[in-house]
Amino acid sequence: MRKLRNALLGMAVAAIVPISGLGTHIATIVLEMRDVLVQAAHAVPEQDTTDFLAFGTRIRSEPSTTGSVRGIGNPGDTATIHRRVIGETVVCEDGRAVSEWLDVTDERSQVSGFVSGCFI
């Protein structure tokens, strides 16, 4: 966000300052910043991986216990986490109430879906 703000500010200053001397230098900086922003926008975010914490963890079609079960994850199966969302609140075995669900892919079975934060 800060890079975007600085890039916009740089473009505004470059438009105000005559294109000579300082203006040319500012325009060059703005173009370099634009290139950095474009590269950052196209960069693939790294995805987290983890294991399932319990045997028979249900991978669901939506972030809710009413979502259909697409598959099962078990300890030792690597899960790639694509994103985290808020869904139905689940009370974990340790008594915590968790409403975070993770959109995952079980790398062993290639099944994708949502798993409660209690089990990842």
Side-chain angles (χ1 to χ4, degrees), residues 79-112:
T80 299
I81 301 170
H82 305 292
R83 64 188 171 123
R84 299 167 190 271
V85 300
I86 301 301
E88 176 187 348
T89 300
V90 175
V91 178
C92 305
E93 287 184 10
D94 63 5
R96 293 178 298 131
V98 175
S99 59
E100 180 181 65
W101 288 70
L102 295 89
D103 181 5
V104 302
T105 298
D106 182 330
E107 295 303 322
R108 179 189 53 78
S109 66
Q110 291 300 302
V111 172
S112 294

PDB file of all heavy atoms in Angstrom, residues 79-112:
ATOM      1  N   ALA A  79      -1.083 -30.618   3.755  1.00  0.00           N
ATOM      2  CA  ALA A  79      -2.172 -29.770   3.268  1.00  0.00           C
ATOM      3  C   ALA A  79      -1.578 -28.436   2.833  1.00  0.00           C
ATOM      4  O   ALA A  79      -0.874 -27.789   3.603  1.00  0.00           O
ATOM      5  CB  ALA A  79      -3.210 -29.549   4.365  1.00  0.00           C
ATOM      6  N   THR A  80      -1.862 -28.037   1.606  1.00  0.00           N
ATOM      7  CA  THR A  80      -1.465 -26.716   1.124  1.00  0.00           C
ATOM      8  C   THR A  80      -2.603 -25.757   1.425  1.00  0.00           C
ATOM      9  O   THR A  80      -3.745 -26.004   1.028  1.00  0.00           O
ATOM     10  CB  THR A  80      -1.179 -26.734  -0.386  1.00  0.00           C
ATOM     11  OG1 THR A  80      -0.103 -27.642  -0.626  1.00  0.00           O
ATOM     12  CG2 THR A  80      -0.804 -25.349  -0.897  1.00  0.00           C
ATOM     13  N   ILE A  81      -2.293 -24.670   2.134  1.00  0.00           N
ATOM     14  CA  ILE A  81      -3.311 -23.682   2.511  1.00  0.00           C
ATOM     15  C   ILE A  81      -3.345 -22.592   1.446  1.00  0.00           C
ATOM     16  O   ILE A  81      -2.343 -21.938   1.193  1.00  0.00           O
ATOM     17  CB  ILE A  81      -2.996 -23.066   3.886  1.00  0.00           C
ATOM     18  CG1 ILE A  81      -2.929 -24.167   4.948  1.00  0.00           C
ATOM     19  CG2 ILE A  81      -4.026 -22.000   4.242  1.00  0.00           C
ATOM     20  CD1 ILE A  81      -2.387 -23.696   6.283  1.00  0.00           C
ATOM     21  N   HIS A  82      -4.516 -22.416   0.824  1.00  0.00           N
ATOM     22  CA  HIS A  82      -4.680 -21.400  -0.216  1.00  0.00           C
ATOM     23  C   HIS A  82      -5.155 -20.070   0.351  1.00  0.00           C
ATOM     24  O   HIS A  82      -4.740 -19.011  -0.099  1.00  0.00           O
ATOM     25  CB  HIS A  82      -5.668 -21.881  -1.283  1.00  0.00           C
ATOM     26  CG  HIS A  82      -5.279 -23.202  -1.867  1.00  0.00           C
ATOM     27  ND1 HIS A  82      -4.165 -23.364  -2.662  1.00  0.00           N
ATOM     28  CD2 HIS A  82      -5.833 -24.429  -1.745  1.00  0.00           C
ATOM     29  CE1 HIS A  82      -4.059 -24.628  -3.028  1.00  0.00           C
ATOM     30  NE2 HIS A  82      -5.059 -25.299  -2.477  1.00  0.00           N
ATOM     31  N   ARG A  83      -6.047 -20.144   1.327  1.00  0.00           N
ATOM     32  CA  ARG A  83      -6.563 -18.921   1.955  1.00  0.00           C
ATOM     33  C   ARG A  83      -7.275 -19.297   3.247  1.00  0.00           C
ATOM     34  O   ARG A  83      -7.551 -20.458   3.496  1.00  0.00           O
ATOM     35  CB  ARG A  83      -7.511 -18.163   1.025  1.00  0.00           C
ATOM     36  CG  ARG A  83      -8.781 -18.937   0.696  1.00  0.00           C
ATOM     37  CD  ARG A  83      -9.606 -18.249  -0.381  1.00  0.00           C
ATOM     38  NE  ARG A  83     -10.670 -19.126  -0.805  1.00  0.00           N
ATOM     39  CZ  ARG A  83     -11.954 -18.828  -0.764  1.00  0.00           C
ATOM     40  NH1 ARG A  83     -12.346 -17.642  -0.323  1.00  0.00           N
ATOM     41  NH2 ARG A  83     -12.866 -19.675  -1.175  1.00  0.00           N
ATOM     42  N   ARG A  84      -7.542 -18.267   4.037  1.00  0.00           N
ATOM     43  CA  ARG A  84      -8.260 -18.434   5.301  1.00  0.00           C
ATOM     44  C   ARG A  84      -9.539 -17.611   5.212  1.00  0.00           C
ATOM     45  O   ARG A  84      -9.507 -16.482   4.728  1.00  0.00           O
ATOM     46  CB  ARG A  84      -7.396 -17.957   6.468  1.00  0.00           C
ATOM     47  CG  ARG A  84      -6.107 -18.752   6.601  1.00  0.00           C
ATOM     48  CD  ARG A  84      -5.132 -18.075   7.555  1.00  0.00           C
ATOM     49  NE  ARG A  84      -3.832 -18.699   7.508  1.00  0.00           N
ATOM     50  CZ  ARG A  84      -3.448 -19.732   8.253  1.00  0.00           C
ATOM     51  NH1 ARG A  84      -4.296 -20.247   9.121  1.00  0.00           N
ATOM     52  NH2 ARG A  84      -2.261 -20.251   8.144  1.00  0.00           N
ATOM     53  N   VAL A  85     -10.643 -18.186   5.666  1.00  0.00           N
ATOM     54  CA  VAL A  85     -11.937 -17.497   5.617  1.00  0.00           C
ATOM     55  C   VAL A  85     -12.653 -17.662   6.953  1.00  0.00           C
ATOM     56  O   VAL A  85     -12.323 -18.539   7.749  1.00  0.00           O
ATOM     57  CB  VAL A  85     -12.828 -18.027   4.468  1.00  0.00           C
ATOM     58  CG1 VAL A  85     -12.167 -17.836   3.111  1.00  0.00           C
ATOM     59  CG2 VAL A  85     -13.175 -19.489   4.672  1.00  0.00           C
ATOM     60  N   ILE A  86     -13.626 -16.815   7.164  1.00  0.00           N
ATOM     61  CA  ILE A  86     -14.472 -16.931   8.353  1.00  0.00           C
ATOM     62  C   ILE A  86     -15.717 -17.729   7.957  1.00  0.00           C
ATOM     63  O   ILE A  86     -16.347 -17.456   6.942  1.00  0.00           O
ATOM     64  CB  ILE A  86     -14.874 -15.539   8.882  1.00  0.00           C
ATOM     65  CG1 ILE A  86     -13.627 -14.733   9.239  1.00  0.00           C
ATOM     66  CG2 ILE A  86     -15.805 -15.671  10.086  1.00  0.00           C
ATOM     67  CD1 ILE A  86     -12.743 -15.369  10.296  1.00  0.00           C
ATOM     68  N   GLY A  87     -16.037 -18.718   8.756  1.00  0.00           N
ATOM     69  CA  GLY A  87     -17.198 -19.551   8.493  1.00  0.00           C
ATOM     70  C   GLY A  87     -17.907 -19.896   9.784  1.00  0.00           C
ATOM     71  O   GLY A  87     -17.819 -19.164  10.774  1.00  0.00           O
ATOM     72  N   GLU A  88     -18.575 -21.032   9.777  1.00  0.00           N
ATOM     73  CA  GLU A  88     -19.291 -21.491  10.966  1.00  0.00           C
ATOM     74  C   GLU A  88     -18.319 -21.677  12.129  1.00  0.00           C
ATOM     75  O   GLU A  88     -17.208 -22.174  11.954  1.00  0.00           O
ATOM     76  CB  GLU A  88     -19.962 -22.831  10.654  1.00  0.00           C
ATOM     77  CG  GLU A  88     -20.645 -23.457  11.842  1.00  0.00           C
ATOM     78  CD  GLU A  88     -21.154 -24.864  11.541  1.00  0.00           C
ATOM     79  OE1 GLU A  88     -21.186 -25.281  10.368  1.00  0.00           O
ATOM     80  OE2 GLU A  88     -21.518 -25.551  12.508  1.00  0.00           O
ATOM     81  N   THR A  89     -18.731 -21.263  13.316  1.00  0.00           N
ATOM     82  CA  THR A  89     -17.907 -21.449  14.512  1.00  0.00           C
ATOM     83  C   THR A  89     -17.985 -22.905  14.951  1.00  0.00           C
ATOM     84  O   THR A  89     -19.063 -23.478  15.055  1.00  0.00           O
ATOM     85  CB  THR A  89     -18.377 -20.525  15.647  1.00  0.00           C
ATOM     86  OG1 THR A  89     -18.272 -19.175  15.201  1.00  0.00           O
ATOM     87  CG2 THR A  89     -17.541 -20.714  16.894  1.00  0.00           C
ATOM     88  N   VAL A  90     -16.807 -23.486  15.185  1.00  0.00           N
ATOM     89  CA  VAL A  90     -16.697 -24.879  15.619  1.00  0.00           C
ATOM     90  C   VAL A  90     -16.033 -24.877  16.992  1.00  0.00           C
ATOM     91  O   VAL A  90     -15.057 -24.156  17.209  1.00  0.00           O
ATOM     92  CB  VAL A  90     -15.850 -25.699  14.622  1.00  0.00           C
ATOM     93  CG1 VAL A  90     -15.627 -27.113  15.125  1.00  0.00           C
ATOM     94  CG2 VAL A  90     -16.511 -25.709  13.249  1.00  0.00           C
ATOM     95  N   VAL A  91     -16.553 -25.676  17.923  1.00  0.00           N
ATOM     96  CA  VAL A  91     -15.927 -25.823  19.233  1.00  0.00           C
ATOM     97  C   VAL A  91     -14.946 -26.993  19.142  1.00  0.00           C
ATOM     98  O   VAL A  91     -15.332 -28.129  18.866  1.00  0.00           O
ATOM     99  CB  VAL A  91     -16.975 -26.064  20.343  1.00  0.00           C
ATOM    100  CG1 VAL A  91     -16.280 -26.265  21.685  1.00  0.00           C
ATOM    101  CG2 VAL A  91     -17.957 -24.903  20.409  1.00  0.00           C
ATOM    102  N   CYS A  92     -13.664 -26.685  19.346  1.00  0.00           N
ATOM    103  CA  CYS A  92     -12.603 -27.687  19.250  1.00  0.00           C
ATOM    104  C   CYS A  92     -12.607 -28.586  20.482  1.00  0.00           C
ATOM    105  O   CYS A  92     -13.223 -28.268  21.497  1.00  0.00           O
ATOM    106  CB  CYS A  92     -11.241 -26.994  19.134  1.00  0.00           C
ATOM    107  SG  CYS A  92     -11.129 -25.807  17.787  1.00  0.00           S
ATOM    108  N   GLU A  93     -11.867 -29.695  20.403  1.00  0.00           N
ATOM    109  CA  GLU A  93     -11.793 -30.630  21.523  1.00  0.00           C
ATOM    110  C   GLU A  93     -11.238 -29.974  22.785  1.00  0.00           C
ATOM    111  O   GLU A  93     -11.592 -30.371  23.888  1.00  0.00           O
ATOM    112  CB  GLU A  93     -10.933 -31.835  21.152  1.00  0.00           C
ATOM    113  CG  GLU A  93     -11.608 -32.781  20.194  1.00  0.00           C
ATOM    114  CD  GLU A  93     -10.756 -34.017  19.916  1.00  0.00           C
ATOM    115  OE1 GLU A  93      -9.733 -34.227  20.602  1.00  0.00           O
ATOM    116  OE2 GLU A  93     -11.133 -34.774  19.022  1.00  0.00           O
ATOM    117  N   ASP A  94     -10.375 -28.965  22.613  1.00  0.00           N
ATOM    118  CA  ASP A  94      -9.796 -28.299  23.787  1.00  0.00           C
ATOM    119  C   ASP A  94     -10.687 -27.173  24.319  1.00  0.00           C
ATOM    120  O   ASP A  94     -10.308 -26.442  25.223  1.00  0.00           O
ATOM    121  CB  ASP A  94      -8.401 -27.766  23.474  1.00  0.00           C
ATOM    122  CG  ASP A  94      -8.393 -26.702  22.388  1.00  0.00           C
ATOM    123  OD1 ASP A  94      -9.475 -26.280  21.909  1.00  0.00           O
ATOM    124  OD2 ASP A  94      -7.284 -26.270  22.008  1.00  0.00           O
ATOM    125  N   GLY A  95     -11.889 -27.017  23.754  1.00  0.00           N
ATOM    126  CA  GLY A  95     -12.851 -26.031  24.239  1.00  0.00           C
ATOM    127  C   GLY A  95     -12.812 -24.688  23.529  1.00  0.00           C
ATOM    128  O   GLY A  95     -13.681 -23.845  23.759  1.00  0.00           O
ATOM    129  N   ARG A  96     -11.811 -24.469  22.659  1.00  0.00           N
ATOM    130  CA  ARG A  96     -11.752 -23.203  21.921  1.00  0.00           C
ATOM    131  C   ARG A  96     -12.883 -23.155  20.901  1.00  0.00           C
ATOM    132  O   ARG A  96     -13.230 -24.158  20.297  1.00  0.00           O
ATOM    133  CB  ARG A  96     -10.434 -23.066  21.147  1.00  0.00           C
ATOM    134  CG  ARG A  96      -9.211 -22.937  21.985  1.00  0.00           C
ATOM    135  CD  ARG A  96      -7.950 -22.858  21.116  1.00  0.00           C
ATOM    136  NE  ARG A  96      -7.789 -24.096  20.339  1.00  0.00           N
ATOM    137  CZ  ARG A  96      -7.555 -24.144  19.026  1.00  0.00           C
ATOM    138  NH1 ARG A  96      -7.425 -23.038  18.336  1.00  0.00           N
ATOM    139  NH2 ARG A  96      -7.436 -25.308  18.410  1.00  0.00           N
ATOM    140  N   ALA A  97     -13.430 -21.960  20.679  1.00  0.00           N
ATOM    141  CA  ALA A  97     -14.420 -21.751  19.627  1.00  0.00           C
ATOM    142  C   ALA A  97     -13.690 -21.089  18.457  1.00  0.00           C
ATOM    143  O   ALA A  97     -13.151 -19.992  18.592  1.00  0.00           O
ATOM    144  CB  ALA A  97     -15.555 -20.871  20.116  1.00  0.00           C
ATOM    145  N   VAL A  98     -13.653 -21.758  17.317  1.00  0.00           N
ATOM    146  CA  VAL A  98     -12.889 -21.299  16.159  1.00  0.00           C
ATOM    147  C   VAL A  98     -13.828 -21.100  14.979  1.00  0.00           C
ATOM    148  O   VAL A  98     -14.580 -22.006  14.612  1.00  0.00           O
ATOM    149  CB  VAL A  98     -11.778 -22.315  15.797  1.00  0.00           C
ATOM    150  CG1 VAL A  98     -11.057 -21.924  14.533  1.00  0.00           C
ATOM    151  CG2 VAL A  98     -10.806 -22.468  16.948  1.00  0.00           C
ATOM    152  N   SER A  99     -13.782 -19.907  14.385  1.00  0.00           N
ATOM    153  CA  SER A  99     -14.605 -19.647  13.198  1.00  0.00           C
ATOM    154  C   SER A  99     -13.754 -19.545  11.937  1.00  0.00           C
ATOM    155  O   SER A  99     -14.276 -19.315  10.858  1.00  0.00           O
ATOM    156  CB  SER A  99     -15.421 -18.361  13.382  1.00  0.00           C
ATOM    157  OG  SER A  99     -14.565 -17.266  13.603  1.00  0.00           O
ATOM    158  N   GLU A 100     -12.441 -19.744  12.074  1.00  0.00           N
ATOM    159  CA  GLU A 100     -11.557 -19.702  10.906  1.00  0.00           C
ATOM    160  C   GLU A 100     -11.552 -21.064  10.219  1.00  0.00           C
ATOM    161  O   GLU A 100     -11.388 -22.100  10.858  1.00  0.00           O
ATOM    162  CB  GLU A 100     -10.135 -19.333  11.320  1.00  0.00           C
ATOM    163  CG  GLU A 100      -9.186 -19.273  10.127  1.00  0.00           C
ATOM    164  CD  GLU A 100      -7.773 -18.927  10.524  1.00  0.00           C
ATOM    165  OE1 GLU A 100      -7.146 -19.739  11.240  1.00  0.00           O
ATOM    166  OE2 GLU A 100      -7.318 -17.849  10.141  1.00  0.00           O
ATOM    167  N   TRP A 101     -11.747 -21.033   8.907  1.00  0.00           N
ATOM    168  CA  TRP A 101     -11.687 -22.228   8.076  1.00  0.00           C
ATOM    169  C   TRP A 101     -10.584 -22.008   7.048  1.00  0.00           C
ATOM    170  O   TRP A 101     -10.353 -20.881   6.611  1.00  0.00           O
ATOM    171  CB  TRP A 101     -13.024 -22.477   7.372  1.00  0.00           C
ATOM    172  CG  TRP A 101     -14.087 -22.960   8.303  1.00  0.00           C
ATOM    173  CD1 TRP A 101     -14.707 -22.250   9.287  1.00  0.00           C
ATOM    174  CD2 TRP A 101     -14.658 -24.266   8.340  1.00  0.00           C
ATOM    175  NE1 TRP A 101     -15.632 -23.029   9.941  1.00  0.00           N
ATOM    176  CE2 TRP A 101     -15.627 -24.274   9.373  1.00  0.00           C
ATOM    177  CE3 TRP A 101     -14.453 -25.427   7.608  1.00  0.00           C
ATOM    178  CZ2 TRP A 101     -16.373 -25.404   9.683  1.00  0.00           C
ATOM    179  CZ3 TRP A 101     -15.206 -26.553   7.910  1.00  0.00           C
ATOM    180  CH2 TRP A 101     -16.157 -26.537   8.940  1.00  0.00           C
ATOM    181  N   LEU A 102      -9.929 -23.079   6.666  1.00  0.00           N
ATOM    182  CA  LEU A 102      -8.840 -22.978   5.707  1.00  0.00           C
ATOM    183  C   LEU A 102      -9.233 -23.686   4.420  1.00  0.00           C
ATOM    184  O   LEU A 102      -9.747 -24.808   4.447  1.00  0.00           O
ATOM    185  CB  LEU A 102      -7.569 -23.595   6.291  1.00  0.00           C
ATOM    186  CG  LEU A 102      -7.038 -22.836   7.501  1.00  0.00           C
ATOM    187  CD1 LEU A 102      -7.646 -23.363   8.773  1.00  0.00           C
ATOM    188  CD2 LEU A 102      -5.552 -22.904   7.564  1.00  0.00           C
ATOM    189  N   ASP A 103      -9.007 -23.001   3.320  1.00  0.00           N
ATOM    190  CA  ASP A 103      -9.215 -23.573   1.991  1.00  0.00           C
ATOM    191  C   ASP A 103      -7.921 -24.305   1.662  1.00  0.00           C
ATOM    192  O   ASP A 103      -6.874 -23.682   1.496  1.00  0.00           O
ATOM    193  CB  ASP A 103      -9.498 -22.443   0.999  1.00  0.00           C
ATOM    194  CG  ASP A 103      -9.758 -22.929  -0.408  1.00  0.00           C
ATOM    195  OD1 ASP A 103      -9.817 -24.154  -0.632  1.00  0.00           O
ATOM    196  OD2 ASP A 103      -9.890 -22.070  -1.299  1.00  0.00           O
ATOM    197  N   VAL A 104      -7.976 -25.638   1.608  1.00  0.00           N
ATOM    198  CA  VAL A 104      -6.767 -26.446   1.485  1.00  0.00           C
ATOM    199  C   VAL A 104      -6.864 -27.446   0.332  1.00  0.00           C
ATOM    200  O   VAL A 104      -7.949 -27.724  -0.178  1.00  0.00           O
ATOM    201  CB  VAL A 104      -6.470 -27.226   2.788  1.00  0.00           C
ATOM    202  CG1 VAL A 104      -6.313 -26.289   3.965  1.00  0.00           C
ATOM    203  CG2 VAL A 104      -7.536 -28.268   3.065  1.00  0.00           C
ATOM    204  N   THR A 105      -5.697 -27.979  -0.018  1.00  0.00           N
ATOM    205  CA  THR A 105      -5.618 -29.141  -0.899  1.00  0.00           C
ATOM    206  C   THR A 105      -4.795 -30.191  -0.185  1.00  0.00           C
ATOM    207  O   THR A 105      -3.674 -29.911   0.260  1.00  0.00           O
ATOM    208  CB  THR A 105      -4.954 -28.796  -2.244  1.00  0.00           C
ATOM    209  OG1 THR A 105      -5.738 -27.811  -2.915  1.00  0.00           O
ATOM    210  CG2 THR A 105      -4.828 -30.026  -3.137  1.00  0.00           C
ATOM    211  N   ASP A 106      -5.351 -31.391  -0.032  1.00  0.00           N
ATOM    212  CA  ASP A 106      -4.612 -32.521   0.524  1.00  0.00           C
ATOM    213  C   ASP A 106      -3.690 -33.008  -0.590  1.00  0.00           C
ATOM    214  O   ASP A 106      -4.157 -33.477  -1.630  1.00  0.00           O
ATOM    215  CB  ASP A 106      -5.580 -33.627   0.959  1.00  0.00           C
ATOM    216  CG  ASP A 106      -4.887 -34.823   1.591  1.00  0.00           C
ATOM    217  OD1 ASP A 106      -3.726 -35.113   1.230  1.00  0.00           O
ATOM    218  OD2 ASP A 106      -5.513 -35.479   2.428  1.00  0.00           O
ATOM    219  N   GLU A 107      -2.387 -32.872  -0.397  1.00  0.00           N
ATOM    220  CA  GLU A 107      -1.428 -33.192  -1.460  1.00  0.00           C
ATOM    221  C   GLU A 107      -1.372 -34.685  -1.779  1.00  0.00           C
ATOM    222  O   GLU A 107      -1.022 -35.059  -2.895  1.00  0.00           O
ATOM    223  CB  GLU A 107      -0.039 -32.660  -1.100  1.00  0.00           C
ATOM    224  CG  GLU A 107       0.020 -31.141  -1.030  1.00  0.00           C
ATOM    225  CD  GLU A 107      -0.407 -30.458  -2.321  1.00  0.00           C
ATOM    226  OE1 GLU A 107      -0.094 -30.965  -3.421  1.00  0.00           O
ATOM    227  OE2 GLU A 107      -1.083 -29.412  -2.236  1.00  0.00           O
ATOM    228  N   ARG A 108      -1.737 -35.534  -0.830  1.00  0.00           N
ATOM    229  CA  ARG A 108      -1.743 -36.980  -1.104  1.00  0.00           C
ATOM    230  C   ARG A 108      -2.888 -37.351  -2.032  1.00  0.00           C
ATOM    231  O   ARG A 108      -2.706 -38.014  -3.033  1.00  0.00           O
ATOM    232  CB  ARG A 108      -1.830 -37.784   0.205  1.00  0.00           C
ATOM    233  CG  ARG A 108      -1.862 -39.303  -0.009  1.00  0.00           C
ATOM    234  CD  ARG A 108      -2.166 -40.055   1.280  1.00  0.00           C
ATOM    235  NE  ARG A 108      -3.366 -39.603   1.956  1.00  0.00           N
ATOM    236  CZ  ARG A 108      -4.627 -39.926   1.600  1.00  0.00           C
ATOM    237  NH1 ARG A 108      -4.839 -40.694   0.565  1.00  0.00           N
ATOM    238  NH2 ARG A 108      -5.655 -39.478   2.299  1.00  0.00           N
ATOM    239  N   SER A 109      -4.082 -36.887  -1.690  1.00  0.00           N
ATOM    240  CA  SER A 109      -5.276 -37.272  -2.451  1.00  0.00           C
ATOM    241  C   SER A 109      -5.677 -36.251  -3.520  1.00  0.00           C
ATOM    242  O   SER A 109      -6.524 -36.542  -4.350  1.00  0.00           O
ATOM    243  CB  SER A 109      -6.455 -37.467  -1.490  1.00  0.00           C
ATOM    244  OG  SER A 109      -6.797 -36.223  -0.886  1.00  0.00           O
ATOM    245  N   GLN A 110      -5.109 -35.040  -3.445  1.00  0.00           N
ATOM    246  CA  GLN A 110      -5.445 -33.932  -4.343  1.00  0.00           C
ATOM    247  C   GLN A 110      -6.883 -33.444  -4.168  1.00  0.00           C
ATOM    248  O   GLN A 110      -7.447 -32.814  -5.054  1.00  0.00           O
ATOM    249  CB  GLN A 110      -5.177 -34.301  -5.813  1.00  0.00           C
ATOM    250  CG  GLN A 110      -3.704 -34.444  -6.131  1.00  0.00           C
ATOM    251  CD  GLN A 110      -2.933 -33.157  -5.858  1.00  0.00           C
ATOM    252  OE1 GLN A 110      -3.227 -32.115  -6.412  1.00  0.00           O
ATOM    253  NE2 GLN A 110      -1.950 -33.236  -4.975  1.00  0.00           N
ATOM    254  N   VAL A 111      -7.492 -33.741  -3.015  1.00  0.00           N
ATOM    255  CA  VAL A 111      -8.826 -33.253  -2.704  1.00  0.00           C
ATOM    256  C   VAL A 111      -8.702 -31.840  -2.148  1.00  0.00           C
ATOM    257  O   VAL A 111      -7.867 -31.580  -1.274  1.00  0.00           O
ATOM    258  CB  VAL A 111      -9.536 -34.168  -1.682  1.00  0.00           C
ATOM    259  CG1 VAL A 111     -10.844 -33.560  -1.203  1.00  0.00           C
ATOM    260  CG2 VAL A 111      -9.766 -35.540  -2.278  1.00  0.00           C
ATOM    261  N   SER A 112      -9.528 -30.922  -2.653  1.00  0.00           N
ATOM    262  CA  SER A 112      -9.526 -29.542  -2.182  1.00  0.00           C
ATOM    263  C   SER A 112     -10.842 -29.224  -1.513  1.00  0.00           C
ATOM    264  O   SER A 112     -11.889 -29.761  -1.889  1.00  0.00           O
ATOM    265  CB  SER A 112      -9.323 -28.575  -3.351  1.00  0.00           C
ATOM    266  OG  SER A 112      -8.041 -28.726  -3.896  1.00  0.00           O
TER     267      SER A 112
END
